Amino acid sequence: MKQLVVGLGVVGKTTLDCLSRFGYDMVGYDRNKEKLEELKKEGLKTTDELIEVDIYWICVPETEVENVIKEMYTKSMFSNNPIIVVRSTTIPGTIVTLAEMPLRICHNPEFFRERYAEWEFMHPDYILIGECDKEAGDILEEIYKPLQAPIIRTDPTTSEIIKLVHNAHASTMISFWNEIYRICKKTNVNS
């Protein structure tokens, strides 16, 4: 199965790199030519044009997800009925709306920090698959098997909400510990 990662920021690059290690036929695409050259030097396969594949991993900024998928749809990139996997954070209901095109689409958000992205991809606490299509969910579960992590399968709207809650919790914890740090500084407590 040929797979294309669309968008090669931290999430896309990590997805491309880590899944390539399992022997999957992975190619990366980004509009930034310098980024493509950089990744090519690192030994990753890249392309400077969108190609038809069996699975698309959409790893673009959340504000671009709908536009990128609609653009690919109008360019007939999905004529072979591929699986589209959105890794970006999306507003609840986005994936269900996109599925109406009709598309075989799943929401598979990432849960890693930029600095530790590679390690956290390879050692996840769990993998979340928000599926519109059971067969697509089965294929994704098979792809992730080498990671030997628990896989949670749900509908895409639930997946979208879980990701938002996760992000909100992380932000709250950062704010909380920043406040504790300030208090410690003010009171001369060793933080």
Side-chain angles (χ1 to χ4, degrees):
M1 257 194 270
K2 200 171 186 73
Q3 306 181 49
L4 181 72
V5 178
V6 179
L8 297 171
V10 174
V11 175
K13 180 186 181 229
T14 304
T15 301
L16 175 64
D17 183 17
C18 293
L19 290 179
S20 294
R21 295 179 198 185
F22 297 127
Y24 299 130
D25 187 3
M26 306 294 299
V27 181
Y29 165 79
D30 197 284
R31 290 181 176 144
N32 183 329
K33 309 292 183 214
E34 289 171 19
K35 199 178 280 186
L36 294 176
E37 284 307 310
E38 212 176 276
L39 295 177
K40 211 175 271 186
K41 286 176 189 165
E42 292 178 31
L44 296 169
K45 284 202 296 188
T46 63
T47 179
D48 59 2
E49 60 183 42
L50 289 167
I51 54 173
E52 282 200 57
V53 294
D54 303 299
I55 301 176
Y56 291 94
W57 298 83
I58 308 298
C59 302
V60 299
E62 59 191 82
T63 54
E64 294 179 32
V65 171
E66 287 186 74
N67 290 337
V68 165
I69 291 174
K70 285 174 183 173
E71 180 186 332
M72 291 172 75
Y73 184 79
T74 56
K75 288 183 176 176
S76 301
M77 300 307 306
F78 306 142
S79 59
N80 63 340
N81 199 25
I83 296 170
I84 297 137
V85 185
V86 177
R87 303 226 64 210
S88 315
T89 304
T90 50
I91 295 166
T94 302
I95 303 300
V96 170
T97 301
L98 289 168
E100 291 170 3
M101 281 190 197
L103 297 172
R104 295 170 71 204
I105 190 166
C106 294
H107 185 240
N108 171 231
E110 48 75 28
F111 293 102
F112 47 72
R113 295 164 292 172
E114 184 172 341
R115 195 170 170 189
Y116 307 102
E118 184 184 309
W119 194 91
E120 290 179 343
F121 184 102
M122 298 300 273
H123 304 89
D125 292 329
Y126 62 90
I127 293 155
L128 179 61
I129 300 170
E131 62 196 49
C132 287
D133 170 310
K134 185 185 181 309
E135 184 190 8
D138 291 344
I139 290 168
L140 275 181
E141 186 166 341
E142 195 61 36
I143 286 170
Y144 279 120
K145 264 201 178 145
L147 294 175
Q148 298 180 332
I151 294 178
I152 300 167
R153 290 173 64 171
T154 184
D155 64 88
T157 304
T158 300
S159 170
E160 290 167 320
I161 288 175
I162 289 170
K163 174 60 174 165
L164 289 174
V165 169
H166 180 274
N167 288 358
H169 179 259
S171 296
T172 301
M173 292 306 292
I174 291 166
S175 297
F176 173 77
W177 287 112
N178 283 342
E179 286 304 311
I180 295 298
Y181 176 78
R182 284 189 194 100
I183 291 167
C184 290
K185 281 286 184 204
K186 257 187 180 172
T187 55
N188 293 320
V189 171
N190 185 354
S191 58

